[in-house]
Amino acid sequence: MRRSVEGCSELKKLFALHICLIPDASPAASRLAVSQEVLSGGSVQAWSDYLSVRLHPKSVYVIRQYMHDGDCGCLEAFGQGESLLQDPSCIEELEDRLHFYVEECDYLQGFQVLCDLHNGFSGVGAKVTELLCDEYSGKGILTWGLTPVTSNGGDSQKNVYRVMNTALGIARLSSHSSLFCPLSLRGALGLKPQPPVTFPYINYDASLNYHSSAILAAALDALTAPYRLSSSQGSMMHLAETLTFGGRKVVAAWASLPFPALRGSSLPDTLRAYPQALPWKLLSPCGERKVGCCFAQSVVLRGIRKESHVSSCPGEPPTAPLHACESTEQTLQRYLHTLFPGAFSTSHVLEQPCHTLPPYPQFFSPLLTRQGFLLDKPPRYSSTAVESVPVLAALQSSPLLHTLLYGLYKDVQKLNTRRWASFFSAGVEQDDFQEALEELRTLSQCYEMGFEADESEDEADSD
């Protein structure tokens, strides 16, 4: 298994370290010809095949105790991951690698941590964020918990382990992070399977991590723009503080990929086509897909020209309030205020689109132009690759998260933990497990509306 700490990059003289807790690549997969795989649409297995920049030796730490793949020797339980970072020599080496990069920073914004939730990396991530929280108090820690779209539904042990790892991971990661966001195209995190997220202009294979990770990467690139832009006054901590008030440390991600703008249409005309809800999809597995109210949100729209707020009929009086706006930023902000009148909303509009040249998969609809805008009808010839797409993405503190957190809590509560002694033999104590479940339940209550709180109390009384 591999833990990669990527080098920091300068943006407005502020720095962030990106810590990715990811599996190593297999030797066979590393010999794949990337260009041939992309062009032929073949099944790509290894993330490292697409690295165009060599990683610094200080940025890679290989966990040799566990295999990357196979039926045995896998890092499959939360306690196994936690125990890895209880070794003093491991902690010392990790701190040495962190200090190597931190010392290169003029001003450290904080850390981004990406890790799996469904396996033992959940425990590794929990200990890493705890270390960062203790040693770099006051710095932003934004954590993204990843879960594969599909899993082995026929293996009851793996399914139960997945849910228990996820519950422990969310409870621990959120407590040590400034902000925590679960990211997945999976329908739900609980025991009951649900169909994966679908997109109207993307035909992706949910069984390929190559496809699902490409979608999530495009969304993540947009979601993190507010503190990476040289023109922005915000920081990682500022973003977290605007979304996590009231104890709501968990946020949900939404994305429209691509943003469905007709070629040549103005932004007001595009938004007016969706008067009740934005055309985005939920990327945090809450089990529900409908847009409702929210407490706070950070919205980013990229790939839209600054002059696109102008009506398609210049010189005529505005036909709607959106057409009266003086900029794309004002147009988006007014639209958000109309849809979410009680929410604290921040918005950013960027001209630069999301680039989708190889090795990005070409799974787009033929209705898209080379720049990712919609056509009125399919072209006669659709051999042109989509080189870029506009993207709309948002982080929301929303009542939907009550469904995710409380539903996961209820699923784990129903399990007979005595049947899964092997999970606890890896290092998690029963008392600590129950404490984490109570933290999860308490966290879920932060997202309740009035009538939901009454229902939850009734359910608790009946348990």
Side-chain angles (χ1 to χ4, degrees), residues 377-397:
K377 57 182 179 179
R380 292 184 179 180
Y381 305 100
S382 58
S383 58
T384 303
V386 177
E387 298 178 356
S388 64
V389 293
V391 178
L392 177 69
L395 289 175
Q396 278 192 352
S397 177

Side-chain angles (χ1 to χ4, degrees), residues 432-446:
D432 292 337
F433 183 74
Q434 292 301 322
E435 180 183 346
L437 287 186
E438 286 306 311
E439 291 177 10
L440 194 63
R441 178 176 178 171
T442 301
L443 191 59
S444 73
Q445 293 172 347
C446 297

Side-chain angles (χ1 to χ4, degrees), residues 19 39 45 49 69 103-104 122 148 177 221 235 237 250 271 290 294 371 387 415 420:
I19 301 175
L39 293 175
Q45 300 295 327
D49 296 333
D69 204 355
E103 290 170 2
E104 296 294 318
S122 183
S177 303
D221 190 49
S235 64
M237 278 301 293
V250 183
L271 294 176
K290 295 181 180 180
C294 71
Q371 289 74 37
E387 298 178 356
L415 295 174
W420 310 104

Side-chain angles (χ1 to χ4, degrees), residues 116-128:
D116 288 340
L117 283 179
H118 64 287
N119 54 27
F121 273 114
S122 183
V124 176
K127 296 301 290 186
V128 167

